[in-house]
Amino acid sequence: MDRPRVGELSPPDRLLMGPGPSDVHPRVLRSMSTPLVGHLDPAFVDIMDDVQDLLRYVFRTDNQWTIPVSGTGSASMEAAVANLTEPGDTVLVPGNGYFGERMAAMVERAGGEAVFVDAPWGEPLDPAAVEDAFDRHQPDIFGFVHAETSTGTLQPNVPELTSIAHEHDALVIADTVTSLGGVELRVDEWGIDAAYSANQKCLSSPPGASPLTLNDRAMDKVLARESPVRSWYLDLSLLQEYWGDERAYHHTAPITNVYALREALRLVAEEGIETRWARHRRVAGALKAGVEAMGLELDPDDDWWLPSLNAVRLPAGVDDGTVIDALLEEYGIEIAGGLGNLSGDILRIGCMGHSARDENALALVSALGNTLEALDADVDADAGASAARRSLKR
Ligand SMILES: *Cc1c(COP(=O)(O)O)cnc(C)c1O
């Protein structure tokens, strides 16, 4: 094997407006070049406490069990699903998007049975359909996706859904990957028993330390399991030795990633969580106004528009890959295409965290308008750009 000759690392400078990761604030990047300490160093134990307090603030929860899971959002997702699902449990999962299907796959691997509550992709779950599904299947757990990144759909009526589940003695798991730190989310007030998230979406931290919170009811079920969780790495009854009072070794925490998450969360706290939700609505609102004024449509209804992920219908005859490549190569802007049922039909434009800024919404709308005009699509790029500008001046 010859010695490989690789050049110095120099990734291009992108504007990240896809479904995640989002742009990272310079303060967060700087935090990652601060000295490493051990994962059991008293200094790091203090940092862990800070991260847990800050996570409780962004989740709007008093849950003692609030931690960053080592790994990306899917690790936190699997931690929630695998710990709460005991072999033989029935878990009701959402059929209205890509991530409900991932939830179902995790349920099956944990030895549970996944049953779906159906809704079309691009629409939220209807409480009446959830009620029906409860009567039909008597699930032990109900999982839903608060912000479905594959369709740009926000699930409204969360307290109504959690009440249905609790009337049937079921636990509620919420996927808050694309909502945490970006759109209104109130874990305690809304009756969510367990919520998982990721840090590279609306929190704008590099992927690798993924928020998870469980209330006592959920944790009691985990600690009373008859069979051990099938994943050793994600077993919360073992992880509590590290994140609980003992602070004993379980696995080595991704130290630098925890630094980054702490700084990203500190930025959220400085801004104020409600101000941050409002900023996402304002900036994404300009993006939406611009896209609509140029002659395109958002896929979901306005009633369940998700500011952090805008699913834009492609004009007839335009290939999604061509638009995505042109934005990346000519403007340095990353967006994405549709997943699953919506593949080839939509563009997915994120407006998350540090990417959710006025100048980025304006840049995206102009770049998209120009690109589509160059492809002879029936759009008015100038009308889009001025609508976005006007929306921000309001
Ligand atoms: C991104 C995402 C995930 C998975 O997170 P990864 O960090 O990619 O592992 C899960 N659910 C939703 C809704 C997401 O958007």
Side-chain angles (χ1 to χ4, degrees):
M1 213 39 107
D2 288 339
R3 182 154 52 105
R5 290 181 185 281
V6 288
E8 194 183 335
L9 180 69
S10 69
D13 202 359
R14 303 291 197 210
L15 170 56
L16 300 177
M17 301 285 283
S22 55
D23 275 354
V24 176
H25 194 286
R27 262 174 54 188
V28 175
L29 289 175
R30 277 200 297 278
S31 75
M32 299 185 82
S33 57
T34 54
L36 210 65
V37 296
H39 58 286
L40 294 171
D41 189 306
F44 192 67
V45 169
D46 289 343
I47 289 168
M48 292 165 72
D49 289 339
D50 295 340
V51 168
Q52 290 187 284
D53 282 344
L54 288 160
L55 281 178
R56 290 184 189 103
Y57 170 72
V58 295
F59 270 126
R60 316 306 297 131
T61 185
D62 291 325
N63 290 342
Q64 186 204 338
W65 256 93
T66 305
I67 64 168
V69 175
S70 304
T72 68
S74 302
S76 187
M77 179 176 193
E78 193 142 34
V81 172
N83 279 273
L84 287 171
T85 307
E86 288 193 81
D89 276 356
T90 300
V91 183
L92 184 62
V93 299
N96 63 341
Y98 180 88
F99 290 101
E101 288 175 10
R102 183 173 296 184
M103 208 186 266
M106 289 177 175
V107 166
E108 301 279 343
R109 284 180 187 231
E113 191 201 347
V115 289
F116 284 88
V117 49
D118 288 319
W121 281 44
E123 288 183 25
L125 301 182
D126 177 354
V130 173
E131 185 84 62
D132 262 10
F134 263 96
D135 290 340
R136 210 148 9 106
H137 303 291
Q138 304 296 327
D140 304 282
I141 298 167
F142 166 55
F144 75 95
V145 178
H146 184 218
E148 182 43 89
T149 323
S150 65
T151 63
T153 303
L154 180 71
Q155 178 66 53
N157 311 319
V158 173
E160 208 176 324
L161 300 183
T162 58
S163 304
I164 296 169
H166 292 151
E167 278 157 22
H168 290 80
D169 284 328
L171 286 167
V172 176
I173 301 178
D175 180 318
T176 64
V177 174
T178 295
S179 59
L180 183 70
V183 300
E184 183 177 14
L185 167 68
R186 301 178 186 277
V187 165
D188 286 2
E189 199 179 313
W190 291 356
I192 295 166
D193 298 298
Y196 60 84
S197 192
N199 62 347
Q200 78 274 21
K201 306 216 183 184
C202 300
L203 296 177
S204 283
S205 181
S210 300
L212 173 69
T213 187
L214 289 90
N215 64 15
D216 287 344
R217 215 160 81 90
M219 207 49 200
D220 285 350
K221 173 165 185 187
V222 174
L223 297 176
R225 286 178 64 106
E226 278 171 23
S227 60
V229 180
R230 290 181 181 178
S231 164
W232 179 88
Y233 193 68
L234 297 173
D235 184 339
L236 294 175
S237 70
L238 301 177
L239 274 171
Q240 82 165 344
E241 289 166 21
Y242 184 53
W243 285 99
D245 294 335
E246 281 173 68
R247 306 279 160 165
Y249 172 68
H250 173 263
H251 69 267
T252 310
I255 312 288
T256 304
N257 238 294
V258 176
Y259 292 174
L261 178 59
R262 181 183 183 280
E263 193 61 20
L265 291 168
R266 221 160 68 90
L267 284 162
V268 179
E270 282 171 21
E271 181 174 12
I273 188 73
E274 295 188 343
T275 309
R276 191 177 178 93
W277 296 336
R279 168 166 62 86
H280 279 78
R281 288 194 80 81
R282 192 177 61 81
V283 176
L287 200 157
K288 177 174 184 287
V291 162
E292 289 175 342
M294 79 173 75
L296 303 178
E297 255 177 64
L298 258 64
D299 192 58
D301 212 88
D302 280 356
D303 290 343
W304 39 82
W305 167 59
L306 173 62
S308 46
L309 196 288
N310 297 268
V312 178
R313 280 251 151 220
L314 275 163
V318 175
D319 170 60
D320 59 346
T322 308
V323 178
I324 293 165
D325 291 350
L327 283 175
L328 192 70
E329 282 156 27
E330 289 163 34
Y331 299 91
I333 301 178
E334 178 178 280
I335 64 166
L339 284 178
N341 293 0
L342 290 170
S343 175
D345 297 339
I346 57 166
L347 296 172
R348 291 185 302 143
I349 304 173
C351 188
M352 304 181 185
H354 189 56
S355 293
R357 282 177 286 154
D358 293 13
E359 61 270 35
N360 295 343
L362 296 175
L364 183 282
V365 170
S366 299
L368 180 63
N370 293 344
T371 300
L372 290 171
E373 270 189 354
L375 292 169
D376 281 333
D378 183 20
V379 296
D380 183 343
D382 290 342
S386 54
R389 262 195 317 272
R390 273 198 311 277
S391 171
L392 289 171
K393 286 216 181 85
R394 275 210 304 267

